[in-house]
Amino acid sequence: YEIRIDSHGESTNRHRVRIEASGYRSALGRLSVAAGEPALVENFRLERAEPLVGRVISPDGSPANQFDVAIGAATTNPQFDFKRLNTDFGQGFKINGQSTFQVAASFEPQRLRIFNHEGFAEVLVQPDQDHIGEVLLQPHTNVSGRFMQGDIPIGNEFVCFRQLAYRSLSEARFQDIFFTTTDTEGNFDFGRLPPIPGSVVSHFRLRNDRHFT
């Protein structure tokens, strides 16, 4: 195979190849290359490994038969958005008509997010695991409120929800994208959020020569 790098004008980023094949454990290249360097040649010998199987249970205890699965790892670091399943190097797929799903075995930990309109679950899968087992969805949560500066409502401002758990660059993780905008009276409502501990933050913008912090 041959891979061409679109560097978008960036010459300092280095790239490594990730290989995935059905019935094998995924692998990551040992060598790296940057735009403008000579072509990189690397051979892979993959290890046979059966996929990991999971079964999704709805919050009411019944089998779920329609849901989405997103996969995050240290080498992919995907962005996560309920409305966009597979974005920016992320891996994701949809299941319809059955409660089971499969994920390829990997050389590194994988963080799975399984969700549908009923609920959400997050599962960390280690490289030495041979199955996922049952995954119980928890009902979605929501955060709403009002932004004020003293007695002045702050309208048309972005509000972000950030999970409290900190994960380093070497851990399986997602970059979350949970945000909304306040109305003219400063009210905000996220509508749907995962049931995980988090905080609400906003970065006020400069307007009318006033800077709110």
Side-chain angles (χ1 to χ4, degrees), residues 12-212:
T12 59
N13 290 339
R14 304 198 65 82
H15 303 265
R16 297 169 70 184
V17 175
R18 180 187 178 97
I19 299 294
E20 297 185 359
S22 178
Y24 293 86
R25 188 178 304 279
S26 63
L28 186 69
R30 296 177 295 102
L31 308 177
S32 66
V33 64
E37 293 183 351
L40 173 68
V41 177
E42 187 169 11
N43 295 320
F44 291 85
R45 183 180 296 276
L46 299 182
E47 171 193 351
R48 288 192 177 275
E50 294 297 322
L52 285 66
V53 179
R55 182 170 181 263
V56 181
I57 305 299
S58 297
D60 64 4
S62 63
N65 60 12
Q66 184 173 353
F67 52 89
D68 295 341
V69 180
I71 305 173
T75 58
T76 60
N77 190 25
Q79 295 183 355
F80 179 85
D81 189 330
F82 281 120
K83 299 177 182 179
R84 297 181 299 167
L85 176 61
N86 189 4
T87 61
D88 291 344
F89 307 110
Q91 303 174 76
F93 54 89
K94 295 178 178 291
I95 296 293
N96 288 291
Q98 64 185 54
S99 62
T100 59
F101 68 97
Q102 294 185 354
V103 173
S106 177
F107 67 94
E108 62 181 338
Q110 301 179 94
R111 190 171 297 277
L112 311 182
R113 285 183 170 178
I114 301 97
F115 57 97
N116 59 17
H117 67 283
E118 295 180 303
F120 174 98
E122 184 173 284
V123 178
L124 181 62
V125 179
Q126 299 293 348
D128 59 355
Q129 284 185 227
D130 58 7
H131 72 287
I132 298 171
E134 286 194 348
V135 178
L136 177 61
L137 299 180
Q138 301 293 329
H140 295 287
T141 188
N142 184 29
V143 174
S144 60
R146 190 182 189 196
F147 265 129
M148 304 285 291
Q149 178 77 6
D151 58 354
I152 301 175
I154 309 301
N156 194 32
E157 288 288 353
F158 284 113
V159 184
C160 301
F161 175 85
R162 296 177 178 173
Q163 64 170 313
L164 293 181
Y166 171 78
R167 297 189 175 97
S168 69
L169 295 178
S170 62
E171 295 182 90
R173 68 201 186 283
F174 291 92
Q175 298 184 73
D176 288 323
I177 309 174
F178 305 123
F179 64 86
T180 187
T181 306
T182 60
D183 63 16
T184 56
E185 297 300 317
N187 300 304
F188 66 89
D189 190 312
F190 283 93
R192 179 173 63 159
L193 289 172
I196 56 178
S199 63
V200 174
V201 298
S202 179
H203 300 283
F204 296 114
R205 292 169 289 182
L206 183 67
R207 60 168 70 148
N208 297 329
D209 296 325
R210 293 187 301 173
H211 188 207
F212 296 96

